[in-house]
Amino acid sequence: QVQLVESGGGLVQAGGSLRLSCAASGSISSINTMGWYRQAPGKQRELVASITGGGISNIADSVKGRFTISRDNAKNTVYLQMDSLKPEDTAVYYCNADILAVHMFVYTQLWGQGTQVTVSS
């Protein structure tokens, strides 16, 4: 069974940094785009950043210049480096990936369980 496991969330003061990791495990043939979304209380889930298998990234305007997304294809892992954090970055962060599992013929979009990021002022 293929799954995404996130780590790295926590509590940090404004201006601080955190690094999120998300590892895909299981019988995987290929992974296309990987990304991070976040959902704050009372708000819709929004895209934070995504990165293709070839390394092309897309960063939301709200975090551009502060967050960096990267991936290690050998480890099936995507990272989100978050610097200069602000209280408005507080949210549950979810990993997302388009994965082709072994013996499957179509990509499936999977979600991680979510990790809480809290930025205090």
Side-chain angles (χ1 to χ4, degrees), residues 31-34 51-56 71 73:
I31 303 178
N32 195 359
T33 299
M34 303 183 81
I51 185 167
T52 68
I56 299 173
R71 65 189 282 174
N73 290 331

Side-chain angles (χ1 to χ4, degrees), residues 54-93:
I56 299 173
S57 62
N58 176 38
I59 309 292
D61 289 341
S62 59
V63 303
K64 197 167 291 184
R66 301 187 296 120
F67 291 11
T68 304
I69 189 169
S70 61
R71 65 189 282 174
D72 185 333
N73 290 331
K75 295 181 179 180
N76 290 334
T77 300
V78 63
Y79 306 96
L80 185 68
Q81 178 65 42
M82 304 184 293
D83 299 318
S84 302
L85 282 160
K86 303 176 181 180
E88 50 263 44
D89 294 318
T90 296
V92 177
Y93 284 69

